[in-house]
Amino acid sequence: MDCWSPVTTDDEFEKLVIRMNPPRVTVDNASSRKATLIKVDSANKRGSLLEVVQVLTDLNLIIRRAYISSDGEWFMDVFYVTDQHGNKLSEDDVAERIQQSLGPRGRSFRSLRRSVGVQAAAENTTIELTGRDRPGLLSEIFAILTDLKCNVVASEVWTHNSRMASVVYITDEATGLPIDDPDRLTKIKQLLLYVLKGDRDKRSANTAVSVDSTHKERRLHQMMYADRDYDMDDADFGSASERKSFVTLENCVDKGYTIVNLRCPDRPKLLFDTVCTLTDMQYVVYHGTIIAEGPEACQEYFIRHMDGSPVSSEAERQRVINCLEAAIRRRTSEGVRLELCSEDRVGLLSDVTRIFRENGLSVTRAEVTTRGSQAVNVFYVTDSSGYPVKNETIEAVRKEIGLTILHVNDDAHSKSPPQERGLFSFSNIFRSRSEKFLYNLGLIRSYS
């Protein structure tokens, strides 16, 4: 008897629809004096908005303003973007690059029930780690990988609310090839899991082998969400004043939407982070307005759950708020920024993070890359005891690692707390702006 899977059938139908109605991308440099207008419209499918925002983010574009509409079977998004320096785009092939990136391809939304995962990719082996953060943890992880003859090619580490998530790309030290031996992978997982558990962590008790690849930063959001870093009952999360809400929710009863208003200091990739979270929580954005033309970003979304219902309980409302605030803070870097650029070698990360640990420094975030033969790494460090990092400590670390290869940049990405203002709803302001724009485009009917 033949069997068929409804999930597989739906996926194949979705791919067929996308092939028949490929995304259309229009780039307009004339309509705005300060930004390039990018319009994307295509057949609607789950994750369409996230896919577009992810592509723009991966192209290192800064989204200054956006209007979103995806009611019905079609969606159209309008983005006002600049390059990293605030200039309009000059590349002639931007539309083609975006359109190629948005072409028909399958996407994996796998379930997450693990704290350590290892998978063999085309050029390297990917290790995924989540666990309770503590001083020296990163040093121990890289030391184990060095002892097991693994070369770290790249890595990204996030910490938030006493939790840590990391994606690490490794190769075999001797061959430079991915590690695919099952016994060796099992040993790597077991030793890393032992380190992650420590003597206090109860959430990192499972291991699993991943079979799909995915976007690194997308994956980090999924991992931290699955690890419940948004829980507010952790004693190490901070005081009530430090948890000042950035997010408000209200229901639009007559239209069946929940309106999410978000206000916080602007930073790169903020839109990507919030859209990731709404997608992971199984919400669909039907309309939205994003304004990020100054030091503060304002985002408004009209959302429903995938089953078509708005947020329906106080517990669900609070969970959405907690998760979005977690998404905002995960990438907000705390501490002194240290930039390391040197000739790459096996064990470099193990040595550098060991020196950090020996000098009482904790790594709150790390970005590790290899460009040819050069290691280009960024670390955000704080004092393990909770006090501000002393200048003499940083200088001692620099002398030990190398004054010419380790540089300090302690204010490039430091984020001050949002100004203390009474919270208010942007709903009426945003509604008038976004709906007028979308109505004029013929995307929605009048709300009057």
Side-chain angles (χ1 to χ4, degrees):
M1 179 177 176
D2 294 334
C3 297
W4 59 275
S5 166
V7 175
T8 303
T9 303
D10 289 345
D11 288 345
E12 290 304 316
F13 178 75
E14 185 178 88
K15 292 176 185 178
L16 175 63
V17 172
I18 296 299
R19 284 196 296 269
M20 295 175 61
N21 301 279
R24 291 194 293 269
V25 180
T26 304
V27 177
D28 177 5
N29 256 326
S31 296
S32 173
R33 184 170 55 88
K34 296 182 178 180
T36 298
L37 187 150
I38 296 177
K39 183 174 73 173
V40 182
D41 60 301
S42 76
N44 198 11
K45 66 181 179 71
R46 185 188 172 216
S48 293
L49 174 60
L50 175 57
E51 190 172 2
V52 173
V53 172
Q54 180 174 302
V55 168
L56 297 179
T57 301
D58 289 346
L59 290 173
N60 293 318
L61 303 181
I62 303 298
I63 300 172
R64 303 294 183 184
R65 185 182 287 258
Y67 301 98
I68 299 161
S69 181
S70 61
D71 246 337
E73 300 301 319
W74 201 261
F75 92 107
M76 188 173 86
D77 297 344
V78 178
F79 301 90
Y80 291 79
V81 304
T82 66
D83 62 18
Q84 295 286 318
H85 305 290
N87 302 316
K88 297 170 70 171
L89 307 186
S90 58
E91 298 92 337
D92 296 330
D93 62 342
V94 169
E96 182 180 353
R97 289 161 63 194
I98 295 173
Q99 195 143 353
Q100 288 177 349
S101 299
L102 294 175
R105 64 183 186 220
R107 283 213 171 266
S108 168
F109 292 90
R110 51 195 169 139
S111 63
L112 310 172
R113 299 188 181 278
R114 61 192 172 278
S115 57
V116 180
V118 179
Q119 71 181 55
E123 299 179 354
N124 46 58
T125 300
T126 304
I127 303 175
E128 298 175 350
L129 309 168
T130 57
R132 185 180 181 86
D133 189 32
R134 55 181 168 80
L137 176 59
L138 200 59
S139 172
E140 296 176 28
I141 289 171
F142 288 140
I144 285 176
L145 293 175
T146 299
D147 289 343
L148 294 175
K149 307 300 181 183
C150 302
N151 181 41
V152 177
V153 178
S155 178
E156 185 148 355
V157 181
W158 290 359
T159 63
H160 174 251
N161 196 13
S162 300
R163 308 303 298 175
M164 184 279 300
S166 176
V167 176
V168 186
Y169 302 97
I170 63 171
T171 58
D172 179 74
E173 176 184 326
T175 65
L177 299 174
I179 300 171
D180 54 12
D181 177 69
D183 293 337
R184 189 176 178 189
L185 292 177
T186 298
K187 183 177 181 180
I188 292 172
K189 287 196 298 179
Q190 289 175 342
L191 291 176
L192 289 174
L193 182 61
Y194 178 78
V195 168
L196 286 171
K197 281 185 175 180
D199 58 357
R200 294 197 298 166
D201 198 351
K202 298 180 180 179
R203 297 189 197 173
S204 298
N206 300 320
T207 65
V209 177
S210 172
V211 295
D212 297 314
S213 60
T214 190
H215 187 272
K216 179 177 60 178
E217 294 174 345
R218 173 88 173 93
R219 187 74 185 110
L220 284 166
H221 276 298
Q222 291 176 324
M223 292 162 64
M224 298 209 85
Y225 175 72
D227 199 40
R228 300 180 64 90
D229 74 314
Y230 56 85
D231 277 348
M232 303 288 284
D233 56 357
D234 195 315
D236 295 331
F237 186 83
S239 64
S241 62
E242 293 172 327
R243 299 197 303 264
K244 190 179 79 69
S245 178
F246 295 113
V247 184
T248 60
L249 268 69
E250 60 179 295
N251 279 346
C252 181
V253 178
D254 57 333
K255 297 297 181 181
Y257 295 116
T258 293
I259 305 172
V260 179
N261 286 312
L262 183 151
R263 173 175 61 85
C264 69
D266 191 28
R267 60 165 174 78
K269 302 185 180 182
L270 177 64
L271 178 59
F272 173 79
D273 295 340
T274 54
V275 172
C276 268
T277 298
L278 290 172
T279 302
D280 288 341
M281 297 185 74
Q282 308 292 308
Y283 291 104
V284 178
V285 176
Y286 288 87
H287 304 289
T289 302
I290 289 84
I291 300 174
E293 296 176 326
E296 188 172 75
C298 303
Q299 300 179 5
E300 180 182 69
Y301 303 105
F302 290 71
I303 68 170
R304 294 184 187 131
H305 199 268
M306 283 189 63
D307 63 9
S309 63
V311 173
S312 57
S313 69
E314 176 59 26
E316 184 184 3
R317 188 189 75 86
Q318 192 58 53
R319 184 166 173 265
V320 173
I321 291 174
N322 292 348
C323 288
L324 285 172
E325 289 183 351
I328 293 168
R329 291 187 173 97
R330 285 171 193 153
R331 209 194 291 262
T332 301
S333 306
E334 297 181 359
V336 178
R337 176 184 169 111
L338 300 179
E339 301 172 353
L340 174 71
C341 184
S342 71
E343 192 73 18
D344 191 29
R345 61 175 174 81
V346 175
L348 175 64
L349 288 171
S350 176
D351 292 340
V352 169
T353 52
R354 173 183 53 79
I355 292 171
F356 289 163
R357 185 192 71 224
E358 292 173 348
N359 284 272
L361 298 180
S362 289
V363 178
T364 61
R365 187 176 158 214
E367 301 170 13
V368 176
T369 56
T370 304
R371 300 174 186 170
S373 62
Q374 290 290 305
V376 182
N377 305 331
V378 175
F379 303 94
Y380 293 86
V381 298
T382 59
D383 188 276
S384 299
S385 61
Y387 296 103
V389 179
K390 296 180 180 179
N391 290 334
E392 49 265 35
T393 301
I394 296 296
E395 288 307 306
V397 169
R398 291 187 64 218
K399 288 179 181 178
E400 192 167 354
I401 295 175
L403 292 172
T404 59
I405 64 174
L406 185 65
H407 303 279
V408 183
N409 188 348
D410 61 355
D411 60 355
H413 289 269
S414 60
K415 300 292 182 183
S416 58
Q419 297 178 4
E420 294 293 332
R421 304 184 199 168
L423 286 178
F424 62 94
S425 172
F426 281 88
S427 179
N428 293 333
I429 299 175
F430 275 136
R431 197 173 301 163
S432 62
R433 290 180 177 177
S434 61
E435 291 179 6
K436 181 178 180 181
F437 180 85
L438 297 171
Y439 176 72
N440 288 338
L441 290 175
L443 299 177
I444 61 173
R445 291 175 298 176
S446 173
Y447 274 63
S448 58

